[in-house]
Amino acid sequence: MKFRHVRAIAVFGIAIVALTGARGSHGASCGGGSSHSSSSSSGGSGGTSSGTSGSDSTSGTSSSSGGTTTTGGSSRDKAERDIRIDSCKLDSTGKNLVARLTVTNSGSVDYTYNVTMKFNPAAGSSAVAATARVNSLKVKAGASQQTEATAPYTGKGDGSEYKECVVSTASKSAL
């Protein structure tokens, strides 16, 4: 075999290795997939902790009729994964929009959570989005804490113009 053929085969082999990611990337794909594994439990309350201190923030949990939908990135430590929206409704007085939340810290470090909820009106509604906050909620490692985020209701009806509530931001900081 001639030297130019050997060189062409070597270049081709290097190109294959470079394109397939067989260079120690643990099988990352062309689609930008993550090579890290993560775990999650149903209801969006999974979450894991790497045991590092600091803070982490995210957004993306929503509820429209008591259920929870979790969206967002693939990071294992996002605070949003620790939050389950139990319900979103107008309180019995008719003066407040209330989101009932359960925050589960399945990590090995105690965290303080800050959550901002957004109550979104239905499409075509004249209602304005409302915002509620939960600040400095302390949740011990391996524990769950229930809380409420409340925003004043400025409408004149029964609150039915608000079709969903979402976690617009969430962060956690190690204690």
Side-chain angles (χ1 to χ4, degrees):
M1 200 183 308
K2 293 189 176 186
F3 181 69
R4 67 179 179 195
H5 291 122
V6 173
R7 185 174 45 178
I9 291 171
V11 168
F12 181 73
I14 291 171
I16 295 284
V17 168
L19 291 174
T20 60
R23 61 190 182 283
S25 67
H26 305 288
S29 67
C30 293
S34 173
S35 63
H36 300 285
S37 65
S38 63
S39 63
S40 175
S41 63
S42 64
S45 63
T48 58
S49 174
S50 62
T52 58
S53 63
S55 66
D56 188 22
S57 64
T58 188
S59 62
T61 299
S62 67
S63 176
S64 56
S65 60
T68 302
T69 304
T70 304
T71 59
S74 61
S75 173
R76 297 182 311 174
D77 298 319
K78 290 190 172 186
E80 176 267 328
R81 290 182 181 238
D82 294 351
I83 300 167
R84 183 181 72 224
I85 301 171
D86 298 321
S87 67
C88 292
K89 59 185 177 180
L90 190 64
D91 71 1
S92 60
T93 67
K95 295 181 181 179
N96 295 301
L97 295 166
V98 179
R100 288 189 173 85
L101 310 171
T102 300
V103 180
T104 301
N105 177 0
S106 58
S108 59
V109 176
D110 295 350
Y111 282 105
T112 298
Y113 289 82
N114 293 304
V115 182
T116 303
M117 297 296 298
K118 187 174 182 184
F119 296 87
N120 291 323
S125 172
S126 62
V128 177
T131 302
R133 289 184 176 79
V134 174
N135 293 314
S136 302
L137 178 68
K138 292 179 172 96
V139 183
K140 293 195 175 286
S144 293
Q145 181 76 32
Q146 292 184 326
T147 188
E148 292 182 347
T150 304
Y153 176 62
T154 58
K156 307 257 187 272
D158 61 359
S160 62
E161 68 271 27
Y162 290 93
K163 293 298 180 191
E164 72 173 350
C165 64
V166 297
V167 173
S168 60
T169 63
S171 65
K172 63 182 180 180
S173 300
L175 292 177

